[in-house]
Amino acid sequence: MKLQHLLVIIDPTREDQPALTRARWIAQRCGARLELLACEYNPALDNALLLERGDLDAAQRNLLDERLAWLQALAEPLRDGGLDVHCQVRWGKSLHHQVVLHCEQTTPDLVLKSAHHHSLLKRLFLTNNDWQLIRHCPQPLWLVQHGEWAGRSLCAAVDPLHSGDVPATLDHRLITVARELEQRLQLDAHYLHAYMALPHTLAFNAELLADYDNYVLRTEAHHRKAFDALLASYPQIDRARTHLGQGFAEELIPTYVKEHGIDLLLMGAVARGQLDNALIGQTAERVFEEVECDLLVIRPVT
């Protein structure tokens, strides 16, 4: 993964800008160019009944000019520190839609955005920009939880059995990105596979119940074989930093992240049916709500 052009989504509603702090940290280590993007939209300036179109356009331009000047002020200390920083503003509805359009037009290497946690109701009705960007951002998406950053370790959560229609190539891309970040940003890389055997309470027939302990052992062996086969392609990986764990991903992964002091979690995201997206969400989204570290979402190469 290249780290030459970092797109940083700036949130005008908050005083701190964790994504900008993280982007600066990355750029200082790899010489990346930063692009700061702010998106604006006010329905009162889009279709006011008592104003002429020309007046509305002038008001929009004034608002965007003010926002651009604010971005330039944010960029000035970074430029004084020797970084290459450019600023852009966009006008349009829904932040996630504008970010996706901008990505399609400029193809940054990495998108960074300060994260927000939202209520179940907002997630259910898909009003959360973080969730929408996990689903639709065409570039790798780095969601920054907060400004504090140790910058010591990362963890790639892989799925070698490719459950949930995950293509086999995605695991290899996750590992490749993890190894590149390990080298370029000096982060210790961990690799984790979480799997879940059928719980005893859900065993559906007498034969399975009678042989349940052996079933659990066979399930573990099956996943371990697949995990080992995946890692075999990367002999440089330190096996002491690989872990196979039984449990639901949204429970096991946050526990591993906390216990090992992980700063950045890498996960793959694959688009699914609209009903699944609306009511269940992807594993990356559910895990994101439970971890305190940053999350880097990688999509399959299309």
Side-chain angles (χ1 to χ4, degrees):
M1 182 176 73
K2 296 180 181 179
L3 290 175
Q4 298 174 352
H5 175 193
L6 310 184
L7 176 63
V8 188
I9 311 306
I10 301 298
D11 186 350
T13 67
R14 56 191 298 172
E15 294 184 5
D16 64 332
Q17 298 292 334
L20 185 57
T21 301
R22 197 72 75 252
R24 178 178 60 190
W25 184 88
I26 298 170
Q28 288 171 339
R29 283 153 179 79
C30 63
R33 171 172 63 92
L34 301 184
E35 182 182 8
L36 313 188
L37 174 66
C39 301
E40 289 285 346
Y41 180 75
N42 189 326
L45 299 180
D46 195 26
N47 192 27
L49 296 177
L50 301 180
L51 293 176
E52 298 291 336
R53 184 70 256 175
D55 294 333
L56 291 175
D57 292 341
Q60 291 177 15
R61 286 195 299 271
N62 288 338
L63 179 58
L64 291 177
D65 288 344
E66 291 177 2
R67 185 60 67 205
L68 182 59
W70 177 72
L71 285 181
Q72 297 290 4
L74 282 180
E76 199 59 33
L78 304 177
R79 292 174 178 143
D80 291 342
L83 298 181
D84 183 8
V85 186
H86 301 261
C87 300
Q88 295 289 337
V89 292
R90 293 183 67 101
W91 176 272
K93 294 181 180 179
S94 68
L95 173 64
H96 69 272
H97 182 63
Q98 294 303 316
V99 170
V100 170
L101 287 177
H102 194 78
C103 287
E104 291 173 348
Q105 294 166 2
T106 62
T107 59
D109 300 313
L110 178 65
V111 179
L112 295 102
K113 181 186 178 299
S114 302
H116 292 273
H117 285 287
H118 291 261
S119 68
L120 175 61
L121 185 62
K122 284 190 175 183
R123 297 201 299 272
L124 184 62
F125 289 101
L126 308 183
T127 58
N128 179 294
N129 284 305
D130 296 336
W131 280 55
Q132 294 287 8
L133 285 173
I134 286 175
R135 294 186 178 107
H136 302 298
C137 185
Q139 268 71 38
L141 173 67
W142 187 317
L143 292 171
V144 182
Q145 294 277 31
H146 45 69
E148 298 179 4
W149 172 253
R152 292 189 297 261
S153 61
L154 63 84
C155 177
V158 297
D159 182 13
L161 288 179
H162 319 304
S163 61
D165 299 323
V166 178
T169 55
L170 183 54
D171 279 336
H172 291 286
R173 187 168 187 224
L174 281 167
I175 293 177
T176 298
V177 170
R179 296 186 65 237
E180 289 174 350
L181 294 179
E182 181 179 30
Q183 296 169 6
R184 301 194 65 182
L185 301 180
Q186 300 301 301
L187 300 172
D188 294 332
H190 297 239
Y191 301 89
L192 171 66
H193 171 44
Y195 74 96
M196 187 63 194
L198 184 69
H200 189 277
T201 54
L202 297 181
F204 48 82
N205 60 41
E207 182 179 354
L208 179 58
L209 278 171
D211 194 40
Y212 184 78
D213 290 342
N214 285 330
Y215 156 74
V216 172
L217 293 175
R218 291 195 305 271
T219 301
E220 178 185 2
H222 184 51
H223 283 267
R224 186 172 300 280
K225 181 179 179 180
F227 192 34
D228 288 343
L230 174 65
L231 296 175
S233 301
Y234 306 92
Q236 305 88 345
I237 290 178
D238 182 358
R239 289 302 185 96
R241 294 200 186 110
T242 65
H243 179 69
L244 175 71
Q246 177 176 281
F248 292 109
E250 54 267 38
E251 297 175 357
L252 190 145
I253 294 176
T255 299
Y256 185 91
V257 163
K258 184 175 181 179
E259 291 178 350
H260 291 80
I262 301 298
D263 302 299
L264 174 65
L265 175 64
L266 278 65
M267 296 193 69
V270 178
R272 298 179 184 169
Q274 290 300 315
L275 183 61
D276 283 346
N277 278 341
L279 299 180
I280 302 172
Q282 300 171 0
T283 302
E285 296 164 335
R286 299 197 300 273
V287 169
F288 171 54
E289 292 296 328
E290 302 298 331
V291 297
E292 297 181 359
C293 68
D294 289 3
L295 175 67
L296 176 56
V297 179
I298 304 295
R299 301 185 66 82
V301 177
T302 56

